[in-house]
Amino acid sequence: MESEEEEMDVDGEEQPDTSSKKRSNEGTDANSSTPKKKAKKPVSREDSPILKKLIKELSAPIPQQRSSGGTISLQTFPEMTDIKSVNFRELNDRIVEAEGDNQKAILVVIRSYYFFGKGYMLWFNHYKKTYSEDTSNSLVNDKIRECFPDQDKTSEANLRKRKERAIKIFKLFDGVGGEEKIYCIKSFSASTISRLGVDDIDYVIAKVLKASQ
């Protein structure tokens, strides 16, 4: 079962759970000489080492794929140009396959999410011609569920999180130049990228595009 993942702070560090500390401090003497730790100062996007590193990698030239050693073998995906070419079950199965095999390269997982996100956006834009954004999103969700008629609530929750992760990953790479930009990634996984906030992704896209001008 996949665990729920929150959006990542731009400094890339986990926030400690202070609830137990607060409870223990309630019973201590207010005049205690024990020094208290200062609250961690938020890091701005401009100073975030995580975002700086991601921007640097995505701003690099796309590496050429070599036929000899060091080559990453990637899945072949069908050409998706319209909604008729989108098969969510197949795209989901590719994500599950890529994530379940520890020998698979990180880029395979990212690329699998990218194409799931692309499939989602093709359907979303199709419905958006007629309906509102909320209605279009609901209709795409129904379209995805049609591909998994026998799933239980746990499987549905995992699929929903997978879809949300795919949308973020597609938005990032589509915004900075498309699928080929995935090859520039050296230090980030699909999970790491998906924990970035939406505003962080917009910030990275803007910085990468500005660097390429």
Side-chain angles (χ1 to χ4, degrees):
M1 183 184 300
E2 296 184 16
S3 59
E4 190 73 33
E5 292 182 338
E6 302 295 335
E7 291 186 347
M8 177 185 289
D9 289 331
V10 292
D11 57 6
E13 296 184 11
E14 297 288 339
Q15 294 298 312
D17 182 4
T18 59
S19 58
S20 60
K21 293 182 180 179
K22 288 180 180 178
R23 286 193 295 270
S24 62
N25 289 338
E26 288 175 356
T28 59
D29 187 354
N31 296 322
S32 173
S33 60
T34 304
K36 293 183 179 180
K37 291 184 178 180
K38 293 183 179 180
K40 182 180 175 183
K41 185 178 180 180
V43 178
S44 66
R45 290 192 177 92
E46 291 77 7
D47 297 327
S48 167
I50 291 289
L51 297 186
K52 283 183 177 180
K53 194 169 189 178
L54 182 57
I55 291 167
K56 181 178 180 181
E57 292 186 9
L58 290 175
S59 299
I62 298 171
Q64 294 184 350
Q65 297 301 297
R66 294 172 295 176
S67 58
S68 56
T71 300
I72 297 174
S73 178
L74 298 178
Q75 298 175 352
T76 300
F77 282 84
E79 187 70 23
M80 290 196 302
T81 56
D82 54 43
I83 60 175
K84 293 181 180 180
S85 60
V86 178
N87 185 330
F88 285 114
R89 174 171 284 278
E90 179 183 352
L91 295 171
N92 179 76
D93 289 346
R94 287 171 182 259
I95 292 175
V96 174
E97 177 186 354
E99 287 184 323
D101 187 351
N102 291 331
Q103 300 303 316
K104 292 284 186 179
I106 290 176
L107 296 188
V108 177
V109 179
I110 294 176
R111 195 162 173 262
S112 298
Y113 273 107
Y114 172 88
F115 276 96
F116 193 102
K118 181 177 181 178
Y120 170 88
M121 290 307 302
L122 283 171
W123 272 104
F124 179 83
N125 291 332
H126 168 73
Y127 286 127
K128 187 72 167 49
K129 297 174 183 177
T130 308
Y131 304 101
S132 67
E133 288 190 4
D134 289 342
T135 301
S136 298
N137 182 60
S138 297
L139 289 171
V140 180
N141 289 339
D142 287 340
K143 179 62 64 175
I144 294 174
R145 281 193 289 267
E146 288 176 4
C147 299
F148 306 90
D150 301 325
Q151 67 179 351
D152 55 24
K153 289 186 177 180
T154 300
S155 298
E156 184 175 352
N158 289 338
L159 182 61
R160 183 183 68 252
K161 286 184 283 187
R162 195 171 291 137
K163 180 206 73 174
E164 292 169 354
R165 183 180 293 179
I167 292 172
K168 280 188 177 182
I169 289 174
F170 175 76
K171 179 180 180 180
L172 173 63
F173 289 101
D174 187 60
V176 298
E179 175 196 353
E180 290 188 343
K181 275 295 185 178
I182 295 174
Y183 295 101
C184 296
I185 292 297
K186 296 180 175 62
S187 310
F188 295 85
S189 66
S191 177
T192 305
I193 294 172
S194 68
R195 288 200 298 270
L196 293 172
V198 175
D199 290 341
D200 295 331
I201 291 176
D202 288 338
Y203 174 79
V204 170
I205 291 173
K207 286 294 185 180
V208 172
L209 293 180
K210 185 176 181 180
S212 65
Q213 292 177 351

